[in-house]
Amino acid sequence: MPNTRRYLYMHKGDNEWLSGDPTGEEWNNAWEELKAKCPHQIEITEDMYASAEYCEVPEWVDVTIEDEGMLAFKMARGVIGGIAGATSVVFNRHYDLNVSQEWGGWDYNRLEVFDGSAYLTFRGKHSSDEVEVNITEQFNQAIGEVI
């Protein structure tokens, strides 16, 4: 079964309340409302990086790791550790990406797998700006690896 998560960047627009006190009633009500709107598991992150100083990051990114890629993804981790000089393996399939509407879509993306981490990088549809999202926990869970 595909593994899907929504990554919410906590320092963007309407998401800034996420960095507040999670024990308050207002925060809990907002969280419940957010979970009701999103059918996926939600991960609050600060690990969303822009390639340029003035590049905007989207409010959210949905990432789905598809079952068809599991063998290739598991093998990538073995290749990285087994071939001298291999530091990462890059994929452009077996996953799906969706970004919040205010960002205007994407045109190029890649999933880069390292020895102990995984990052999804994508470029804006009408821009050369790139954004990188740390999806390590989701990736490791999808391939059944605990690091």
Side-chain angles (χ1 to χ4, degrees), residues 8-102:
L8 292 173
Y9 184 58
M10 77 164 39
H11 301 296
K12 171 79 176 184
D14 292 339
N15 294 343
E16 289 182 359
W17 63 271
L18 293 166
S19 62
D21 178 17
T23 59
E25 185 176 336
E26 185 177 329
W27 193 96
N28 287 324
N29 290 340
W31 179 250
E32 290 302 320
E33 183 179 322
L34 181 64
K35 286 192 329 187
K37 290 179 185 176
C38 181
H40 319 302
Q41 180 176 343
I42 299 172
E43 185 167 323
I44 303 166
T45 187
E46 291 183 287
D47 292 337
M48 194 179 293
Y49 309 102
S51 63
E53 184 176 351
Y54 298 106
C55 174
E56 289 290 322
V57 297
E59 286 188 31
W60 54 261
V61 176
D62 286 349
V63 177
T64 301
I65 297 176
E66 299 169 350
D67 291 342
E68 295 82 18
M70 288 307 125
L71 181 58
F73 295 150
K74 287 177 183 181
M75 289 176 61
R77 283 279 169 84
V79 166
I80 295 165
I83 297 178
T87 58
S88 68
V89 176
V90 177
F91 293 91
N92 64 2
R93 54 195 284 187
H94 304 307
Y95 62 90
D96 192 28
L97 167 69
N98 190 18
V99 297
S100 54
Q101 292 179 350
E102 92 286 347

Side-chain angles (χ1 to χ4, degrees), residues 105-119:
W106 55 269
D107 72 349
Y108 166 81
N109 63 78
R110 71 179 180 273
L111 171 61
E112 191 164 8
V113 178
F114 297 88
D115 187 28
S117 60
Y119 289 85

